[in-house]
Amino acid sequence: NLESGKELGRFVGHEGMVHGMAVIADGQKLVSIDTQTLRIWDVATGAVATEHEFWAPKLSDDGGLALVVDEKPGEPRNVLHRMRIHDTMTGALIHEIAIDELIMIRSHEFRPPNYDFDPDGTHVFVAAYQPNGPIVAFNLEWGEVAARVPQGNSVSLHMRPLTGLRTLTSSFDDLIHVWDLNRPGERRVA
């Protein structure tokens, strides 16, 4: 309660740091994620209604979709093989995306690419963590690449997708880059 400062409830069960949450199903369910688990809680009781074991899940802003990555068997820990988009309520697989094919380079020699949903939950953005690696927007409705732009010498340390096929990235050059994937030749820096 923000007025009294009193805690109204507690959801206990994650074994790692919780780094994503969303309220779904008209306020009846809470989705939470840690580095290996996605849990759906009943808000009224605080009980876990559903649990999915995923590695490095990310939630769409509305909590309806989960983006998870799989490591490549026999490769070093941060060599990722594919991304999967799941419905958070059912766990059903919606899309499966081969990462190397998506960004068209061996993307994981230094560290995994950045990946996240746009605010509308209509695209997944992937930014390679190396010079000349692309930023790619994958359209979830079509099930295919919607746009791809090269980063040039910029390396994406962090990424935050925006609406309208735009994204922010930060890099080693001490700049914040604003990318408009509708206009591949344009980039603004701050």
Side-chain angles (χ1 to χ4, degrees):
N1 183 317
L2 294 177
E3 291 178 12
S4 69
K6 180 182 175 191
E7 181 179 289
L8 299 176
R10 190 173 283 203
F11 299 85
V12 179
H14 279 286
E15 295 179 17
M17 181 178 73
V18 175
H19 58 84
M21 295 174 290
V23 176
I24 59 174
D26 296 325
Q28 303 300 308
K29 304 285 184 204
L30 169 70
V31 179
S32 61
I33 57 173
D34 62 29
T35 56
Q36 297 184 31
T37 309
L38 179 144
R39 286 189 169 86
I40 300 174
W41 308 81
D42 183 290
V43 171
T45 66
V48 174
T50 307
E51 183 175 314
H52 305 291
E53 294 294 322
F54 293 139
W55 187 78
K58 294 205 177 190
L59 287 176
S60 59
D61 284 354
D62 68 1
L65 299 173
L67 170 61
V68 299
V69 295
D70 292 330
E71 296 177 337
K72 194 176 260 187
E75 295 278 355
R77 177 149 173 78
N78 57 351
V79 175
L80 306 180
H81 173 61
R82 64 186 173 154
M83 296 188 319
R84 293 177 287 129
I85 313 298
H86 290 267
D87 178 288
T88 56
M89 290 298 286
T90 65
L93 178 66
I94 297 171
H95 288 290
E96 185 171 39
I97 308 161
I99 294 175
D100 285 340
E101 292 173 23
L102 182 65
I103 59 178
M104 295 175 46
I105 58 172
R106 180 153 171 80
S107 57
H108 326 294
E109 293 175 5
F110 302 106
R111 104 176 216 195
N114 292 299
Y115 55 93
D116 208 345
F117 288 101
D118 69 355
D120 301 328
T122 57
H123 294 85
V124 168
F125 280 72
V126 179
Y129 179 77
Q130 61 199 108
N132 300 313
I135 298 173
V136 177
F138 183 85
N139 185 300
L140 295 173
E141 182 181 347
W142 306 336
E144 60 187 45
V145 172
R148 175 184 281 114
V149 297
Q151 295 182 81
N153 288 329
S154 174
V155 175
S156 292
L157 294 173
H158 302 284
M159 178 181 61
R160 178 61 186 146
L162 307 169
T163 58
L165 287 180
R166 295 175 303 129
T167 191
L168 300 171
T169 62
S170 65
S171 64
F172 288 117
D173 57 11
D174 300 328
L175 298 172
I176 298 170
H177 300 262
V178 182
W179 303 88
D180 185 342
L181 277 69
N182 292 302
R183 299 179 182 150
E186 293 186 25
R187 161 177 65 160
R188 285 184 275 161
V189 294

